[in-house]
Amino acid sequence: MVAKSTLFRRLYSVCMRHFSSDSMSFKFSANLAFMFSEFPSMVERYDAAKAAGFKYVESAFPYLEPLESVQNAIEKSGLEQVLINAWPGDLSKGDLGIAALPDRQEEFESKLNLTLEYAKALKCKRIHVMAGMKPNNFDETEMEKTFIKNITLAAKRFEPEGITCVIEPLNSRITAPRYFLTDINKAVEIIKKINRPNLKLQFDFFHVQIMEGNLTKTLEKYLPYVGHIQIAQVPDRGEPDRQGEINYTYVFELLQKLKYDGYIGLEYKPRGNTVEGLKWLKDYGLQIDQGRERIPCPINPKHTCYKDSVEKHLKKCRKQQKELPIPLKDFSTKELQDLIEKVHKLYDEHVTRIDEEILSHHCLDEELSNESYGIPAIRHRKQQASLVGQLQRLDLLHEGLCFVELGAGKGNLSHWIQQALPDKSDLGFVLVDYGHVRYKADNKHKWSDTGPKFERLCINIADLNLEKVESISANQRPVVAVGKHLCGGATDFALRCVTKTLNVQKFEERTSQPEEKKFKSENHDSHPRPCLAGITIALCCHHRCTWETYVGKEFIKNCGLSHREFTLLCKLSGWTAATWTGWKTKEEMYREINRGNSSIDTECKTENKNNADNVSDERDSSSQTEDKNTTVDQSINSNDFEEHQDSEQPFSRSDLQLSASQREEIGRKCKRLIDIGRVHYLRNCGLQSQLKTYIEEKLTPENVIIVAKSQT
């Protein structure tokens, strides 16, 4: 069963992504026709919006209150009225605007005076002119003519006052079945035809999703015509974080990318108390723009900060500047030479033979025999088959366990683990991923209560406390942590998460690691802490590791390496790409495997040459053009290919006089030292842990996993 991300956020109160060095700020306006319904009068709602932190408000029908009382309310609150609707007609009789109704032309013209009176008194610079409902026996052509005439008149009347006229297509499937203007394309055609500078489009994500869909392209296409935006979830018109059709995390990222700086009206129906419902802003890493002035950052002018909190911002910004990656050119030749000498010595001291266990499992036999798959698809299936085989070898593939897949993507690894135990129902699956993917694999596991439960959590692993996941704590199944797409520091977050938030034998006695992140437990008495049974994680992207996230600090310090040297160690791990080549065709792969010669040097087999995955993927991609049979399975997305674009730039330090093979050897040893530090961390936590080569290096140079198991 797929968990609702909204429920998870409510239970664990963790923030989602922060889009910049400060929380991203939009000019959100509270729609008083929908929000703060706890207060019966419009006057009270202004005060409530102010108390909730809003600077901007909008109201559909201020005409329901005397103008003087509304004007006094907004002046007292100090809020800014950014939008009202034009006179709507008789709401009690079902009117929803009258601009397109031919028989109410005079009424529309006369009520424009009232509309302007309210707008000027409230200092409102946007007016939404509503089209109205189609009457019986309506004439579409006549209604359009009337609408164009009246909108032209309104725009002309509004222009001297500096007021923008906006029109909005509503949906006819849920909200207003007989509304005249429902097509956003038609609305923009009318705007183009009238061609007035103060006539704009009101883009409501709720209505557009229901009628048009394709939100990204539609917004990008019509953004130049947009004068106001409104948001709500589909289909219940609730808060953006409600379970529904629109991914608002993506929407806010898109608006930021498109540099939208207008107002965003919160035209939604709160699920309960309005203020409590505003927690979604924090969950999305957002702030309500309270009208504070923003200025360029004095340190980095590429971003801005609030003028009245410059010092607070500078403190954070300076810290981030210190954490920026150091270019390789900033290290002196002597520093590089000294570290390379240390790497050779430490490798000989601490890295013993890495066992090669290239395993498989019958659950993927059919997939692996599919002749239509190319090398990239085969690689992933072989990785999954070996990971499942490793679990079986560790006796971690049986009933009564909860498998937590960290960095799950589509959850394919969990899918194959379940397929390896097809008749077992006493299982749990928790899929943790921060990205936005289409959960196709999840659909394979929607069955009755008799089957295993698949739960998905959308959260940064750094914020994850497995002890607080209800399905884990309530069922008390031992947890097996697995992962295939954990890049660099994400691996360290994962190891810290499972050892700090689950019960590990002798953990409290044996670990001496500093606790960079504290995890609080609220209900120790209701359930004992769930146990960690084991770990199987494929390693990659060592160049992305950072000192701040790394779990093996104690090992690195004991080796006599500094923080700066660890940073250089991670950068040199990218040198592994110097000479690696993989199989270019399936025929070549099968030929070498069948004759028992994978063309890998014996020393490389035992010590495991590694490399950044992006080189592997580039060669895999080129092989698809060379071999007609190497068709990639369409169900695999970019996450499955582990495309990492941030690896070290091509080597250009001629002063070191290192050959490609020497650089590769140094890079490989750097990776293994980083990984051995992780092994030491897990052993200090009371786990049996080691590194293994789990797949052929000619399929991917990132072919090492870290495994760990409880000693009981």
Side-chain angles (χ1 to χ4, degrees), residues 91 122 156 347 433 453 470 480 538 631:
L91 295 173
L122 302 178
K156 286 181 179 179
Y347 183 86
D433 194 86
K453 297 296 178 284
E470 186 176 356
V480 179
T631 303

Side-chain angles (χ1 to χ4, degrees), residues 486-499:
L486 293 172
C487 301
T491 298
D492 298 297
F493 281 134
L495 297 180
R496 184 176 291 113
C497 170
V498 298
T499 54

Side-chain angles (χ1 to χ4, degrees), residues 364 380-381 384 388 405 407-419 431 440-442 444-445 454 456 484-485 633 635-637 640:
L364 277 107
H380 286 292
R381 281 146 180 86
Q384 291 156 351
V388 176
E405 184 177 356
K410 291 182 181 177
N412 284 319
L413 180 55
S414 291
H415 166 72
W416 292 117
I417 293 172
Q418 189 278 323
Q419 291 297 297
L431 281 59
K440 292 181 179 178
D442 295 8
K444 300 175 184 177
H445 306 295
F454 277 69
R456 184 174 284 276
K484 181 174 173 286
H485 296 301
D633 176 15
S635 70
I636 298 177
N637 68 0
D640 294 323

